[in-house]
Amino acid sequence: RIFVLGIGFFTLCFLMTSLGGQFSAKRLGDSPFTIRTEVMGALESRGVLRRMSDMLEMLMKRMDILARLENSTDFHKGDEARFPRDRFQPAAGLMERIQAIAQNVSDIAIKVDQILRNSLLNGKVVEGRRDQCEVPRDPKYPDCAGKVEWMRARWTSDPCYAFFGVDGTECSFLIYLSEVEWFCPPLPWRNRTAALPSPPPRPRVQAAFRSDLARLLELIGTGKESLSFMKKRIRHLAQQWLRAARRLQQKLKGRQRDQKHILIHIGFLTEESGDVFSPRVLKGGPLGEMVQWADILAALFLLGHSLRVTVSLKELQSHLGVPPGRGNCPLTSPLPFDLIYTDYHGLQQMKQHMGLSFKKYRCRVRVIDTFGTEPAYNHEEYATLRGYRTNWGYWNLQPTQFMTMFPHTPDNSFMGFVSEELNKTERQFVKSNKASGMAVVYGKEASIWKGKEKFLAILNKYMEIHGTVYYETQRPPEVPAFVKNHGLLPQHEFQQLLRKAKLFIGFGFPYEGPAPLEAIANGCVFLQARFNPPHSSLNHEFFRGKPTSREVSSQHPYAEDFIGKPHVWTVDYNNSEEFEAAIKTIMRTQVDPYLPYEYTCEGMLERIHAYIQHQDFCTTLSPPPPPKAKSPAMQSPPSPLALSPNATHLVWSPSASRDPRAWPPVDSLQVWVSETRHACTETCRQRGLVCEPTFFRFLNKKEVFLQLSITCDSTEYEMNHLYPAVAENVHECYLQKEPLLFSCAGYNSKYRRLCPCRDYRKGQVALCRDCL
């Protein structure tokens, strides 16, 4: 009996504590019970109170039975000596208290029932709005109905929908689709102040050149060999970077520059992408990408911008404001970064986790792309229809958002990297200490040496051959015994080796790395193989799947085309006589250390500064849409182009107005017509110019054909990366229908292309003479 009384007492205390907590709120809307009411409904809430009242009544009945048993059973009389009757007196008082509490609960239940009835009547309109929404039919939101249908079937597929308040009701779908996404019109009964207000714009802070790289080393972080390599490189080049920053600061003469908030996400170093580079840093793996990223970080930091660096998906999600779930929902708040530098791996991760926000903010992305992405591979629909689809393309970005290691094609922006620049004392030391009979082979992996015995035997007749091939315990069998192999060398020791050597020789791979430029900067002659036929995605496994149709004529096309002899020799390695003759000539040739300006610290700072100040892909002007029909009364605006004095090409007319927002400046434009089978890249280069894809919009007009005296029996707008162009044999002219397909790359024997060319600064092919 005491046990039953105790259980009853504690049960009663628990029930009353719960009731007390639920009814103690000052306002009905603030109590947990009211939240339950909103979820369950008024009838269920009243049922809860009734069940609590019934429990108390049942407890009273059982205690009453126990009391009657106590008065009528003789068993208890014999125990009175050991259990005095007064010890049970408190039970009578407890009974009275329970009866009083039960009555109070009953009264409370009646009062709450009345309150709920009144609330239900008063809130019927609001509840009706919440539970009985109809899909609006608004022509401004044509996708609304389809999106609601999708939400009905799939709203549980990603927890992020519940995070934003979707609970399976029609109204929650419409609230989400109108306030989080933008496919449906706002609901008129929604309190618009409840929506998250847009944060006030950040006050503009002027970027100031920095004079210390210590903070950058902290931002890069630790924990990966790749990060350690990048930090060592930044430390090694620190003084050159700081001197270059001071020179550029003087050149800009105090020009105002807004500080940008920049996220650097190195996707290929994340665990989710496999991070195959970090374990290979100390084993001779490719370092070109990490060299470039280290230099990008140094340049952005010294220019005075605010940086965040991530090498993990978790950090990326945190910085972007990604909602919990699988990445189908937009970001929880506006993107806090003006620019995002990433790579193809990071681009894929951002698209996967940003939902619709990726489409909204992709104009702020800059993709570090080693080999480049041509427009034909970038445009998803065109790439799919025309067979240009690969594993890496179809992103529908502006092609100049892709930033390359070398200036492969002007369709992309040339980002580059830096090589160490020798001062006067070092240059003199190199010239006086060169060993004319010493060669270093380009290749840290043993596989590069396989099958090269014939070349090495010829070279060994004239020079002592050195290698830097990685090995752990024993010498790789691919490296001949007459080669002096130093094993994998730290960067500064490798530089010292190059300063002694006369020749740096490549055997066809790796393609387009930084080492040949480092060798030339240290006074070496670079000897490389000519590819015949040129390597491309059509005939070589390495390029297959890459988003470019570029034909590579040698191991390092930049060195061949932009530097050339006497620093760079490109020969046919299949011709032993030509190979041997080149070796003999190189031994007699004296060269000074040479580094193109665009690969110095100052050149890279200058280039990135110009990109940040002038490249704006979020507000880029689009050319006017092609006319569907033209009446005789419609007059085309006069062309801003005019024939040059010698009538060979078009230039910007002196009388035409200049758009101050256009970059590069339009007065650097020249319009030339290519020969058949010539790309615009080649056409401009033959005239000492560079193809400029942003100028295509000025050429994409029928009037331009007339100005160049090209006969057009018909003119059509089509999607084709070779247009604008003319098929002269049939007098058919073609204009570009899709601006994303404007391309300097590509040719066809059928067409002569209209090519927009511009001048460029000496040693800085990425910038025109007035572009800084």
Side-chain angles (χ1 to χ4, degrees), residues 208-247:
F209 283 92
R210 293 189 174 99
S211 58
D212 186 1
L213 287 164
R215 174 59 183 151
L216 174 62
L217 300 177
E218 295 177 10
L219 286 172
I220 293 174
T222 58
K224 292 177 179 285
E225 288 293 341
S226 49
L227 298 180
S228 299
F229 171 85
M230 292 162 63
K231 290 163 76 171
K232 288 178 183 177
R233 176 175 175 82
I234 292 172
R235 289 192 196 98
H236 180 68
L237 294 173
Q239 293 307 311
Q240 292 197 24
W241 277 117
L242 294 173
R243 286 195 296 269
R246 288 193 292 269
R247 289 195 295 267

Side-chain angles (χ1 to χ4, degrees), residues 425-443:
T425 303
E426 291 169 331
R427 291 169 66 90
Q428 188 60 42
F429 176 83
V430 167
K431 289 177 66 175
S432 60
N433 286 274
K434 278 291 179 184
S436 60
M438 177 178 173
V440 176
V441 175
Y442 181 18

Side-chain angles (χ1 to χ4, degrees), residues 123-233:
K124 186 177 292 185
V125 176
V126 175
E127 286 297 314
R129 286 175 178 170
R130 202 189 70 80
D131 293 332
Q132 299 177 4
C133 291
E134 293 185 0
V135 179
R137 305 294 178 183
D138 189 332
K140 296 179 181 178
Y141 299 88
D143 299 323
C144 183
K147 292 293 180 180
V148 171
E149 190 67 29
W150 188 95
M151 291 291 287
R152 289 194 193 108
R154 301 291 304 279
W155 75 272
T156 58
S157 63
D158 193 324
C160 72
Y161 296 117
F163 172 81
F164 281 111
V166 177
D167 59 9
T169 63
E170 204 82 352
C171 288
S172 69
F173 299 154
L174 290 171
I175 291 170
Y176 174 84
L177 291 171
S178 62
E179 297 179 14
V180 180
E181 297 184 3
W182 45 89
F183 292 105
C184 295
L187 300 175
W189 52 269
R190 284 286 290 176
N191 182 2
R192 302 310 302 155
T193 59
L196 289 175
S198 298
R202 292 188 297 263
R204 289 191 175 185
V205 176
Q206 292 302 304
F209 283 92
R210 293 189 174 99
S211 58
D212 186 1
L213 287 164
R215 174 59 183 151
L216 174 62
L217 300 177
E218 295 177 10
L219 286 172
I220 293 174
T222 58
K224 292 177 179 285
E225 288 293 341
S226 49
L227 298 180
S228 299
F229 171 85
M230 292 162 63
K231 290 163 76 171
K232 288 178 183 177
R233 176 175 175 82

Side-chain angles (χ1 to χ4, degrees), residues 715-751:
T715 305
E716 301 292 337
Y717 279 90
E718 293 183 13
M719 279 203 315
N720 192 309
H721 70 287
L722 302 180
Y723 296 166
V726 55
E728 282 192 320
N729 58 334
V730 291
H731 302 294
E732 293 177 349
C733 297
Y734 300 92
L735 298 175
Q736 182 60 257
K737 185 178 180 181
E738 172 51 70
L740 284 181
L741 287 173
F742 284 137
S743 177
C744 293
Y747 63 84
N748 188 298
S749 58
K750 178 182 176 181
Y751 300 119

Side-chain angles (χ1 to χ4, degrees), residues 34-49:
T34 305
I35 294 172
R36 177 70 174 169
T37 301
E38 288 180 1
V39 177
M40 295 176 59
L43 292 176
E44 292 182 68
S45 302
R46 289 194 293 270
V48 171
L49 283 172

Side-chain angles (χ1 to χ4, degrees), residues 273-530:
S273 67
D275 188 15
V276 297
F277 286 86
S278 292
R280 299 174 65 189
V281 169
L282 301 179
K283 298 182 180 181
L287 302 178
E289 288 86 352
M290 281 173 278
V291 164
Q292 187 180 34
W293 274 109
D295 296 344
I296 291 170
L297 285 164
L300 292 173
F301 184 80
L302 287 173
L303 286 169
H305 299 293
S306 174
L307 308 184
R308 291 290 182 274
V309 183
T310 67
V311 290
S312 76
L313 186 56
K314 185 176 181 180
E315 288 179 307
L316 175 68
Q317 293 173 322
S318 173
H319 286 307
L320 294 179
V322 174
R326 298 173 184 169
N328 289 310
C329 297
L331 302 182
T332 57
S333 59
L335 187 70
F337 300 103
D338 302 304
L339 294 170
I340 299 177
Y341 286 82
T342 189
D343 52 25
Y344 260 120
H345 294 282
L347 194 64
Q348 183 64 48
Q349 290 167 352
M350 288 169 57
K351 182 178 180 181
Q352 183 179 353
H353 293 277
M354 289 176 68
L356 288 174
S357 294
F358 178 78
K359 184 176 182 180
K360 180 178 180 180
Y361 293 121
R362 65 183 177 182
C363 61
R364 304 187 192 184
V365 173
R366 306 292 184 266
V367 184
I368 307 305
D369 177 11
T370 304
F371 291 97
T373 299
E374 293 174 2
Y377 297 81
N378 170 63
H379 191 281
E380 183 174 14
E381 179 186 357
Y382 185 77
T384 304
L385 291 174
R386 300 295 185 94
Y388 291 102
R389 193 173 179 110
T390 67
N391 294 333
W392 301 102
Y394 62 86
W395 285 93
N396 293 325
L397 300 177
Q398 292 292 334
T400 38
Q401 288 180 255
F402 296 98
M403 296 186 150
T404 58
M405 184 171 282
F406 292 95
H408 308 302
T409 168
D411 292 327
N412 303 144
S413 297
F414 164 43
M415 171 59 75
F417 58 93
V418 305
S419 287
E420 189 169 357
E421 192 174 7
L422 304 185
N423 58 37
K424 290 182 180 180
T425 303
E426 291 169 331
R427 291 169 66 90
Q428 188 60 42
F429 176 83
V430 167
K431 289 177 66 175
S432 60
N433 286 274
K434 278 291 179 184
S436 60
M438 177 178 173
V440 176
V441 175
Y442 181 18
K444 296 173 292 184
E445 295 184 353
S447 60
I448 295 172
W449 295 64
K450 190 174 182 179
K452 307 301 188 297
E453 296 83 1
K454 181 180 178 180
F455 309 128
L456 290 168
I458 296 174
L459 182 61
N460 188 47
K461 292 194 304 182
Y462 300 95
M463 290 185 167
E464 180 183 74
I465 305 175
H466 293 250
T468 58
V469 182
Y470 169 80
Y471 64 93
E472 290 183 353
T473 56
Q474 60 184 15
R475 183 186 180 94
E478 294 88 348
V479 181
F482 55 78
V483 174
K484 185 177 181 180
N485 186 30
H486 299 261
L488 194 64
L489 293 178
Q491 184 67 14
H492 68 280
E493 293 184 25
F494 180 63
Q495 294 277 350
Q496 295 301 319
L497 187 65
L498 292 176
R499 291 181 184 185
K500 296 177 184 177
K502 175 73 174 181
L503 177 67
F504 188 63
I505 182 170
F507 287 138
F509 191 82
Y511 295 102
E512 301 177 308
L517 288 189
E518 294 175 349
I520 295 168
N522 282 284
C524 294
V525 173
F526 177 51
L527 177 64
Q528 63 172 347
R530 179 183 296 114

Side-chain angles (χ1 to χ4, degrees), residues 580-753:
E580 189 168 359
I583 299 289
K584 293 178 181 178
T585 306
I586 289 169
M587 291 183 68
R588 298 191 302 267
T589 304
Q590 296 295 322
V591 296
D592 292 331
Y594 173 71
L595 180 63
Y597 175 75
E598 54 201 359
Y599 284 97
T600 65
C601 292
E602 185 176 355
M604 187 168 184
L605 281 172
E606 189 178 274
R607 192 163 57 249
I608 294 183
H609 155 75
Y611 289 156
I612 290 176
Q613 292 302 115
H614 299 291
Q615 284 186 336
D616 183 358
F617 302 111
C618 298
T619 58
T620 299
L621 297 175
S622 298
K628 296 181 180 179
K630 184 180 289 187
S631 66
M634 294 177 63
Q635 296 294 327
S636 297
S639 172
L641 304 175
L643 271 175
S644 64
N646 58 8
T648 57
H649 62 282
L650 299 180
V651 296
W652 195 265
S653 173
S655 60
S657 61
R658 292 170 172 79
D659 185 349
R661 295 170 294 179
W663 190 84
V666 291
D667 51 6
S668 65
L669 168 64
Q670 297 183 28
V671 182
W672 290 83
V673 183
S674 77
E675 298 298 324
T676 56
R677 301 189 63 83
H678 279 199
C680 285
T681 304
E682 183 181 1
T683 299
C684 297
R685 184 183 300 160
Q686 289 175 345
R687 292 160 177 83
L689 303 169
V690 175
C691 181
E692 180 50 62
T694 60
F695 286 157
F696 268 113
R697 61 192 180 102
F698 300 116
L699 280 60
N700 200 41
K701 299 176 182 178
K702 184 176 180 180
E703 292 79 5
V704 176
F705 290 112
L706 299 176
Q707 288 181 287
L708 290 166
S709 301
I710 296 173
T711 302
C712 298
D713 291 342
S714 64
T715 305
E716 301 292 337
Y717 279 90
E718 293 183 13
M719 279 203 315
N720 192 309
H721 70 287
L722 302 180
Y723 296 166
V726 55
E728 282 192 320
N729 58 334
V730 291
H731 302 294
E732 293 177 349
C733 297
Y734 300 92
L735 298 175
Q736 182 60 257
K737 185 178 180 181
E738 172 51 70
L740 284 181
L741 287 173
F742 284 137
S743 177
C744 293
Y747 63 84
N748 188 298
S749 58
K750 178 182 176 181
Y751 300 119
R752 296 184 67 193
R753 301 188 57 190

